[in-house]
Amino acid sequence: MTPSVLRYSDQIPQMSPQMDFNYLTMIPSNGAAFSANQEVRIPINVPTDSFVDMKRAYIKFKLTNPAAAAGEKDGAILLDPVIGAASIISTFRVVSGTGALLEEIQHYDALCAIMNNHKNADVRQSRNAICMGSSQTPMTAESISNSAGVNDAGDFEGKETVGAATSKIFYHEPVSAVFNADKLFPFGYTQGTSYVSLQLNSAGGGITQYADATNSAAAWTASEWELYLPVLRPGAEFANNFRTLIQSGLPINIHSVGFQNSQQNIAQNATGMQTITFSTRKRSVKSIMTTLRVNAQLSDIKCNGSSGFKHNDAVDYQYSVGGRRIPSAPLKVASATNGLDLGGVLNNTLMALGHYDSNLRGASFDVDTQHRKYMQSAADDDDRSSSVAFSLDLESYGEGLSGMNLAGQGLPLVLYLNCGATAQRASTVGALLADLYIVHDVIFTLDGVSGTLSASS
């Protein structure tokens, strides 16, 4: 054995700097109560020379139902069974103190629905139900995607409610690259005050009511917004050393995984091969996911527009990424034609989501339960919801650990979705909205000389 005096490769363990930990509460800077289509702007106003553990941050708000209380359920708000009150958030942004856009996720509510669909039912019926008002019976509570809606006596039970003339408080953990960073965020060393911007959904898109509701809750309001930030403040010696280090010109880089949304329409009554062209300039694309929803239902108060996914009698699908067809043969997905051949779709979706969070390895749907089918039969596609997302994990198809660089390709990203001609497919109801979510790496950089925070992806 080599004597200790000769083991020159030994490293003295580095001591962690002493830090004071505290949760700070941020409130909106542009108002107190907000209604449909308004923006909630919450500053990230932390002390100088402090760090924020964004992974442990969360948002609190109160949802108020203004409908007159004349009966048990005639004015009740039906919360989305998959994401609860998060359905009121349409676009999620984080902006730096100098005005640079760090992150933007459009149709944020649908992304949350994809995430929650692929969590275990135990998590959804306990923690998610308590914090966000999602269903306590996730294996049976179905999202309403019937344009006629359902009456109080219908079979779409299991949803949490906000009764007429009452309020409820909810807690939401953002699905966000900033809130999923793998290091502490040095917001206390940046120039200006960064902020979180939440664009609220439309009056009918944010909530749902029974079709026979006699009192409208469309004038709902969301108030008492609070952003809880875990803030760590180091001692004076470490703070001075860290500031000296970054002011010397050494950039501070923080890695995370984020999402970009791109949208296209599918025409009413569409059938056969649908070529849906999207665009992106991301450098490190890990995976891609596309969901379909009936466009008119996104703002229909009778429908769960956030999670009412469709498949339009899909038979198979394939992507063209950077000019190359992936996979070489289309993935079969037809629920009847291919004998419930859905395992490939589910596996690709779980791998796609795993780049963001390794806990997304479950499923709160199955093959047989009518209300929570992964993919409804084509005969039910026009008036029932599915949970399927047409996904592809690019790293599984030979793109290595750094994803695919589409920044300089100049080529579109194309989904080839082969749709059957069943008379009850979703497009017979109306035009469909195709939401593409691109899962990609992002690097946040703090320039210590200027104090500016920027994002590169």
Side-chain angles (χ1 to χ4, degrees):
M1 179 176 180
T2 306
S4 61
V5 292
L6 294 177
R7 293 201 294 268
Y8 296 106
S9 61
D10 284 358
Q11 297 292 324
I12 299 176
Q14 297 294 317
M15 296 181 63
S16 300
Q18 182 178 356
M19 290 190 179
D20 295 328
F21 175 85
N22 193 18
Y23 263 97
L24 298 184
T25 304
M26 307 290 117
I27 61 175
S29 60
N30 62 330
F34 302 85
S35 56
N37 299 313
Q38 291 187 331
E39 179 195 16
V40 183
R41 183 173 292 188
I42 309 176
I44 305 176
N45 190 11
V46 297
T48 303
D49 296 342
S50 63
F51 299 84
V52 183
D53 185 358
M54 297 302 290
K55 277 194 172 182
R56 290 194 282 175
Y58 59 92
I59 295 172
K60 168 193 169 186
F61 63 92
K62 180 172 75 174
L63 181 62
T64 299
N65 182 352
E72 182 184 0
K73 294 182 179 179
D74 60 356
I77 289 176
L78 306 178
L79 296 176
D80 190 288
V82 180
I83 62 174
S87 59
I88 71 170
I89 304 174
S90 176
T91 301
F92 187 98
R93 299 183 185 91
V94 181
V95 182
S96 76
T98 56
L101 184 63
L102 300 179
E103 179 177 24
E104 179 182 52
I105 306 174
Q106 297 178 353
H107 290 180
Y108 173 81
D109 52 337
L111 175 61
C112 291
I114 298 175
M115 294 286 188
N116 282 4
N117 274 332
H118 294 86
K119 290 180 180 177
N120 287 325
D122 291 344
V123 175
R124 286 184 52 189
Q125 69 186 14
S126 54
R127 182 182 182 186
N128 286 12
I130 294 171
C131 292
M132 280 308 300
S134 63
S135 175
Q136 295 188 59
T137 55
M139 295 302 293
T140 57
E142 183 180 353
S143 299
I144 302 172
S145 60
N146 183 345
S147 296
V150 295
N151 293 334
D152 186 2
D155 57 356
F156 283 73
E157 297 297 331
K159 297 176 177 61
E160 298 298 299
T161 63
V162 179
T166 64
S167 302
K168 282 189 179 180
I169 292 177
F170 301 97
Y171 294 83
H172 178 60
E173 294 182 13
V175 178
S176 154
V178 172
F179 285 76
N180 194 45
D182 57 8
K183 293 183 175 64
L184 300 179
F185 247 96
F187 279 118
Y189 293 85
T190 62
Q191 179 182 341
T193 302
S194 302
Y195 63 88
V196 175
S197 169
L198 306 173
Q199 186 71 39
L200 299 187
N201 218 326
S202 63
I207 65 168
T208 305
Q209 287 190 280
Y210 286 111
D212 57 352
T214 56
N215 296 322
S216 174
W220 56 267
T221 58
S223 59
E224 298 183 16
W225 290 87
E226 294 177 349
L227 171 61
Y228 289 85
L229 296 176
V231 176
L232 297 95
R233 298 188 66 181
E237 181 180 1
F238 178 86
N240 291 333
N241 290 339
F242 185 78
R243 188 169 288 278
T244 300
L245 176 67
I246 62 177
Q247 287 180 345
S248 68
L250 179 68
I252 302 299
N253 295 322
I254 302 170
H255 170 263
S256 189
V257 174
F259 301 90
Q260 182 194 35
N261 172 262
S262 184
Q263 306 153 25
Q264 289 292 348
N265 287 317
I266 299 177
Q268 185 172 5
N269 295 316
T271 186
M273 181 61 71
Q274 300 299 305
T275 303
I276 312 167
T277 303
F278 304 95
S279 63
T280 181
R281 291 289 185 179
K282 297 301 180 183
R283 283 200 206 54
S284 179
V285 178
K286 299 285 195 179
S287 52
I288 46 184
M289 307 177 293
T290 302
T291 60
L292 305 181
R293 293 177 289 168
V294 177
N295 217 329
Q297 294 180 0
L298 270 61
S299 56
D300 190 343
I301 201 169
K302 301 187 300 296
C303 299
N304 293 123
S306 300
S307 59
F309 298 147
K310 303 291 188 177
H311 59 78
N312 202 40
D313 192 15
V315 177
D316 55 51
Y317 73 95
Q318 187 181 36
Y319 283 92
S320 175
V321 186
R324 181 161 65 93
R325 291 286 187 106
I326 305 176
S328 56
L331 286 169
K332 304 294 184 181
V333 297
S335 56
T337 306
N338 296 306
L340 299 172
D341 187 4
L342 299 171
V345 186
L346 178 57
N347 285 335
N348 267 281
T349 303
L350 293 176
M351 290 186 289
L353 292 171
H355 293 294
Y356 177 82
D357 187 347
S358 59
N359 291 324
L360 296 168
R361 288 288 190 267
S364 47
F365 42 76
D366 62 23
V367 173
D368 297 320
T369 301
Q370 176 68 20
H371 297 299
R372 286 297 303 167
K373 279 189 176 180
Y374 182 43
M375 186 171 170
Q376 295 283 356
S377 68
D380 293 321
D381 191 38
D382 58 343
D383 59 2
R384 305 202 83 107
S385 295
S386 296
S387 302
V388 65
F390 302 105
S391 306
L392 204 61
D393 175 38
L394 295 181
E395 290 189 356
S396 299
Y397 293 94
E399 295 307 321
L401 297 179
S402 59
M404 177 175 281
N405 185 359
L406 300 180
Q409 294 280 354
L411 296 171
L413 196 158
V414 182
L415 168 62
Y416 297 97
L417 183 66
N418 186 14
C419 301
T422 302
Q424 292 83 17
R425 65 189 183 279
S427 62
T428 60
V429 177
L432 303 180
L433 177 71
D435 272 302
L436 171 72
Y437 293 95
I438 298 163
V439 185
H440 61 88
D441 286 317
V442 57
I443 299 294
F444 299 103
T445 301
L446 171 62
D447 185 334
V449 177
S450 62
T452 58
L453 185 64
S454 60
S456 175
S457 59

